[in-house]
Amino acid sequence: MGERPSRAEAERAVATLLAYIGEDPARPALRETPQRVIAAFEEYFAGYGRDPRAVLGDPLPCAAARGQLVVARQIAFASHCEHHIAPFFGTATVAFVARERLVGIGHIAELVEVLARRLQIQERLTQEIARVLEEVLEPEGLLVVLEATHSCMALRGPQQREARIRTVYASGCLAGERRRWVVEGIAE
Ligand SMILES: [Zn+2]
């Protein structure tokens, strides 16, 4: 990767895009738009500056948790597709059968956030969330279910405005439960 461009250069690039679509970047209502777009990008993509492993913190040893199913449902996330920089958003549900380690549910939500605030595809986001949880929790089984609406699909190409995409990662003792999970709709 080359040297990171300056903020001013990034703002000029937005002005170039405005001119490219046929707009006048100098008209009063658009004058501040490049700065606003770059400020918004810094929010959308705040995940690049953060280590997903670190946001989970140290797991809490808890012998009483062994064998218990822990489910964190409907964690909202917003991400952007790496093909078109178009938003996709929805919810993540994480379920694991604990070995002897727990982490706070708030930390799981933060993990989803850090990984979502990057350019992603839903399948890789699902897998990256799962990898970090497996590394930190060493669970007996893990399920990560993401369900999202893709503006890529809603606004361009197929124009499917209602379609939701579900991705499922399942491992360990929950791998065999994958089908049942989907059928019973625990992630609904
Ligand atoms: Zn896309």
Side-chain angles (χ1 to χ4, degrees):
M1 213 161 59
E3 202 172 301
R4 187 177 178 174
S6 69
R7 191 177 178 122
E9 284 172 313
E11 289 171 2
R12 279 198 292 279
V14 175
T16 301
L17 286 173
L18 288 171
Y20 179 74
I21 62 169
E23 266 292 355
D24 172 12
R27 83 178 160 86
L30 292 184
R31 231 175 266 149
E32 309 281 313
T33 295
Q35 289 102 297
R36 286 192 212 103
V37 169
I38 295 308
F41 263 46
E42 288 184 348
E43 280 185 54
Y44 303 155
F45 302 115
Y48 284 109
R50 304 182 63 197
D51 173 7
R53 171 70 189 74
V55 302
L56 267 194
D58 290 326
L60 311 165
C62 179
R66 179 181 273 274
Q68 291 195 33
L69 176 66
V70 180
V71 184
R73 292 183 59 188
Q74 308 279 28
I75 299 164
F77 72 86
S79 190
H80 286 75
C81 88
E82 68 184 9
H83 303 124
H84 307 93
I85 322 183
F88 66 95
F89 43 87
T91 58
T93 293
V94 170
F96 64 93
V97 175
R99 203 172 295 274
E100 288 186 356
R101 293 176 175 189
L102 293 176
V103 284
I105 300 301
H107 291 276
I108 295 177
E110 211 176 335
L111 170 68
V112 172
E113 166 103 0
V114 162
L115 291 169
R117 287 184 181 270
R118 301 173 178 203
L119 287 179
Q120 282 287 8
I121 59 171
Q122 187 175 329
E123 293 83 351
R124 194 179 64 228
L125 176 57
T126 308
Q127 189 187 52
E128 287 180 358
I129 293 166
R131 280 216 185 115
V132 177
L133 288 169
E134 277 180 340
E135 188 191 317
V136 173
L137 293 173
E138 297 177 358
E140 290 178 9
L142 177 67
L143 270 175
V144 178
V145 182
L146 265 59
E147 202 168 289
T149 302
H150 291 249
S151 36
C152 247
M153 282 177 70
L155 303 177
R156 43 172 305 286
Q159 305 241 353
Q160 286 294 325
R161 302 194 205 288
E162 305 297 328
R164 287 172 72 79
I165 304 296
R166 178 179 282 189
T167 45
V168 180
Y169 176 97
S171 71
C173 68
L174 288 177
E177 302 258 312
R178 176 176 172 168
R179 178 177 297 274
R180 193 159 69 81
W181 169 277
V182 173
V183 170
E184 289 183 1
I186 300 171
E188 297 298 336

